[in-house]
Amino acid sequence: MRNHSTVSEFILLGIPETGGLETALFFLFSSFYLCTLLGNVLILAAVISSSRLHTPMYFFLGNLSIFDLGFSSTTAPKMLLYLSGQDHGISFQGCAAQLFFYHFLGCTECFLYTVMAYDRFVAICFPLRYMVIMNHKVCSVLAIGTWMGGCVHATILTSLTFQLPYCGPHKVGYYFCDIPVVLPLACEDTSLAQRVGFTNVGLLSLICFFLILVSYTRIGICIVKIRSKEGRQRAFSTCSAHLAAILCAYGPVIIIYLQPNPRPLLGAVIQILNNLVTPMLNPLIYSLRNKDVKSALRHVFPRRSLALEIK
């Protein structure tokens, strides 16, 4: 890629229309990022340490925590650096890597949400056969498939974007390297990359959302057929967290990509919600309110839990 470009470094101009707010934004986003790291590390520690959580649902939750850690870390550290007054520059290779991992982890999470919807569908509609259908081999294949699918998706987009020559402007009018803000800096026609990128991202998101919708339609039909009120409540509670996380994840994506010309500030706010706030909320939505996870965390931090019980 370097042989095709005379640009060796890009300048990230930051979050649009936020001049003079760097210090306040630094402390705000630092707290979001630290909460994201802490919450997802706690979930991983609980899932790994407790044998009671070695089930398909928590296996996929552990994968989600890994992706949330990586997804937020793709953009947050560099953003916090220049908000603290450090250099706004990012190397050509660093920009390409940032774009690759952003789309790799973002696409993988979309696939993972779809797999988790299928897991809930099997658990509620076929409870007696759940552990047979969702055995270790099937879970491993589904997890590896999400990784590989995200990697292929990101490789295509990154190759199309950075095989173009960049020989002039090098100021990126955003706080991280993404396709819509990097492509306008290219010295050749970018229509092919724009069409493929928009179609690829939009089509994959729609397919995943459609499969999730199908799964939850079937789940809803199964819940209605449950006779006991307690059984319906238990089934609904297992799905409510996943539905809340899907809304947090797909809401920003739909708003970003369905608006032809969104305001720069609105687009940046929505991206920050997607990059920082959703990964921070996922541990709270999914697991930290769960009794099994709380019990596992007490075993991970026995002294702390003992002190809390004494109090």
Side-chain angles (χ1 to χ4, degrees):
M1 289 186 290
R2 197 172 186 177
N3 293 334
H4 294 280
S5 174
T6 57
V7 173
S8 60
E9 184 182 53
F10 290 103
I11 303 298
L12 298 173
L13 298 182
I15 304 169
E17 304 177 30
T18 58
L21 300 174
E22 287 82 3
T23 302
L25 292 176
F26 172 78
F27 286 108
L28 177 64
F29 296 150
S30 294
S31 62
F32 285 169
Y33 185 50
L34 290 175
C35 289
T36 299
L37 296 180
L38 178 61
N40 285 287
V41 167
L42 287 176
I43 296 301
L44 277 176
V47 171
I48 292 172
S49 64
S50 175
S51 58
R52 293 179 60 187
L53 301 185
H54 293 174
T55 62
M57 183 179 76
Y58 289 106
F59 170 73
F60 293 125
L61 283 177
N63 275 268
L64 181 63
S65 292
I66 293 172
F67 293 130
D68 281 339
L69 286 169
F71 191 54
S72 58
S73 298
T74 300
T75 58
K78 186 63 182 177
M79 178 178 65
L80 293 175
L81 273 177
Y82 65 68
L83 284 176
S84 66
Q86 302 297 318
D87 185 21
H88 285 232
I90 183 171
S91 67
F92 187 88
Q93 292 82 0
C95 187
Q98 192 176 58
L99 188 146
F100 172 83
F101 282 106
Y102 178 77
H103 285 277
F104 165 52
L105 294 168
C107 178
T108 304
E109 279 198 298
C110 283
F111 290 151
L112 187 60
Y113 282 128
T114 308
V115 169
M116 293 170 75
Y118 174 71
D119 173 69
R120 293 299 84 205
F121 160 70
V122 176
I124 292 173
C125 298
F126 304 99
L128 299 179
R129 299 173 54 199
Y130 175 62
M131 293 308 298
V132 176
I133 297 173
M134 299 299 293
N135 56 59
H136 291 297
K137 183 178 180 181
V138 170
C139 291
S140 299
V141 169
L142 289 173
I144 293 171
T146 61
W147 283 81
M148 293 182 64
C151 186
V152 171
H153 166 80
T155 300
I156 293 171
L157 296 185
T158 307
S159 300
L160 284 172
T161 302
F162 287 96
Q163 71 179 356
L164 297 169
Y166 292 85
C167 52
H170 65 290
K171 293 184 178 180
V172 178
Y174 213 46
Y175 70 96
F176 74 99
C177 292
D178 197 9
I179 296 171
V181 292
V182 172
L183 279 180
L185 304 179
C187 300
E188 287 186 2
D189 179 38
T190 62
S191 57
L192 175 62
Q194 287 177 336
R195 286 197 300 269
V196 173
F198 186 84
T199 303
N200 203 343
V201 173
L203 189 61
L204 284 176
S205 299
L206 285 175
I207 290 173
C208 290
F209 189 75
F210 174 74
L211 292 174
I212 292 171
L213 190 62
V214 170
S215 294
Y216 274 98
T217 301
R218 294 288 305 275
I219 288 171
I221 294 172
C222 290
I223 291 176
V224 170
K225 292 180 180 179
I226 297 175
R227 294 183 179 180
S228 68
K229 182 179 179 180
E230 183 182 350
R232 286 195 299 269
Q233 289 178 343
R234 189 183 303 114
F236 180 75
S237 66
T238 62
C239 300
S240 59
H242 188 230
L243 284 171
I246 288 171
L247 290 175
C248 290
Y250 276 92
V253 173
I254 291 171
I255 294 173
I256 290 170
Y257 287 99
L258 291 187
Q259 289 191 16
N261 295 302
R263 287 183 56 196
L265 180 58
L266 176 63
V269 169
I270 293 170
Q271 286 278 25
I272 290 169
L273 287 174
N274 195 35
N275 297 355
L276 278 178
V277 179
T278 299
M280 179 186 69
L281 292 178
N282 273 343
L284 297 174
I285 292 172
Y286 270 109
S287 302
L288 292 182
R289 63 188 182 92
N290 185 291
K291 292 181 180 179
D292 292 333
V293 175
K294 290 179 180 178
S295 176
L297 289 174
R298 289 192 188 100
H299 290 290
V300 175
F301 306 103
R303 294 182 180 177
R304 178 61 178 170
S305 63
L306 181 60
L308 290 174
E309 288 176 6
I310 293 172
K311 290 181 181 180

